[in-house]
Amino acid sequence: MVKIFIDPGHGGNDSGATGNGLKEKDVTLKIAKAIKSKLKEYENVKVKLSRYEDETLALRERTEMANSWGADVFISIHLNSASSDNASGFESFIYTNTGSRTRGFQDILHSEIMKLVDNYTDDDRGKHEANFHVLRESSMMACLTENLFVSNKADAELLKDEEFINAVAEGHKNGIVKFYDLKKK
Ligand SMILES: [Zn+2]
């Protein structure tokens, strides 16, 4: 049984990035829920979300939840924002100096997401490493995705489009399915 922990970034008092009529916390929850429902079609996989509603959660609560559940992988979903409205596109992060298995997971997840996001925008900002709490304090493999910029007009329009949100979720699902070689029920 593979245990997938999905963390919709922010929530409750913490809206995350805001701009162009969007709140990051709302979109991350939509994406996370869509990934969970897509994975219901597969065998030998359990999915847990750090939150199922608009709820305030500290970063430590999120990693402790995943650690005590014994997740195999921690996937944190975020949207990006920048002071310049020119910045746009998709990027992913893993912890600095992490193992090759995590690097392999990031490679697959990133490319499966870009395959579908590419139908809307070919803006690939690349694979990165960072010392983020959720990547550092989770005791399992962890990857954080930054799914376009709320601060960019064209990106924000995509983030308001249900079809695009579905594509982003499908990309995450495809990456998980490919890495763990999950079979349909
Ligand atoms: Zn965020």
Side-chain angles (χ1 to χ4, degrees), residues 9-10 14-17 24-25 28 77-80 144-146:
H10 312 281
D14 169 18
S15 293
E24 181 180 359
K25 64 175 184 177
T28 59
I77 313 285
H78 287 259
L79 305 185
N80 231 326
L144 182 147
T145 60
E146 290 278 6

Side-chain angles (χ1 to χ4, degrees), residues 16 18 49 68 134 158:
T18 56
L49 269 51
S68 66
V134 293
L158 287 175

Side-chain angles (χ1 to χ4, degrees), residues 1-2 4 39 41-45 101 105 108 112 141 172-185:
M1 182 64 69
V2 181
I4 314 287
L39 284 169
E41 293 167 30
Y42 291 82
E43 286 178 345
N44 293 318
V45 60
R101 186 171 160 82
F105 179 75
I108 289 175
E112 289 300 319
M141 208 165 59
H172 283 75
K173 183 269 282 177
N174 288 346
I176 294 163
V177 165
K178 191 170 179 182
F179 186 84
Y180 288 105
D181 196 21
L182 299 177
K183 304 286 181 244
K184 274 214 162 170
K185 279 181 183 162

